[in-house]
Amino acid sequence: MAKFDPKIHDDNPPLDATFMAGMKPSRRGRPKLEAPKVEVKIRLDAKTVEHLRGSGPGWQTRVNALLGQLVAAGQI
């Protein structure tokens, strides 16, 4: 590989203080949620879990939605 020749490789911006001042750090991953979910451990009957899992993918989301409705209605 040939050495760096600034006459050939002149498309890169100069890395001076002005250029670096315009830089901002990149954020990786998902954005922060206002109300993040909390991981909990709960023990349920085996038949209950089997039934819920049998309803297909997204069963945990559906259980969360149902519990949210019950809380909003003041039933639990």
Side-chain angles (χ1 to χ4, degrees):
M1 177 159 184
K3 291 188 175 184
F4 176 78
D5 183 357
K7 294 176 186 172
I8 298 172
H9 304 98
D10 63 350
D11 58 340
N12 293 326
L15 298 178
D16 56 9
T18 306
F19 178 81
M20 297 305 279
M23 301 285 293
K24 57 183 175 178
S26 64
R27 295 198 156 241
R28 299 185 71 178
R30 293 183 178 193
K32 302 279 184 188
L33 298 174
E34 282 186 31
K37 293 185 178 180
V38 178
E39 184 176 344
V40 296
K41 183 174 181 177
I42 183 171
R43 297 177 64 85
L44 302 171
D45 295 331
K47 287 184 178 182
T48 302
V49 174
E50 182 180 336
H51 175 77
L52 293 170
R53 284 187 177 158
S55 68
W59 68 271
Q60 292 174 323
T61 302
R62 289 191 297 277
V63 169
N64 183 58
L66 179 60
L67 288 172
Q69 291 172 1
L70 293 171
V71 168
Q75 294 178 340
I76 59 171

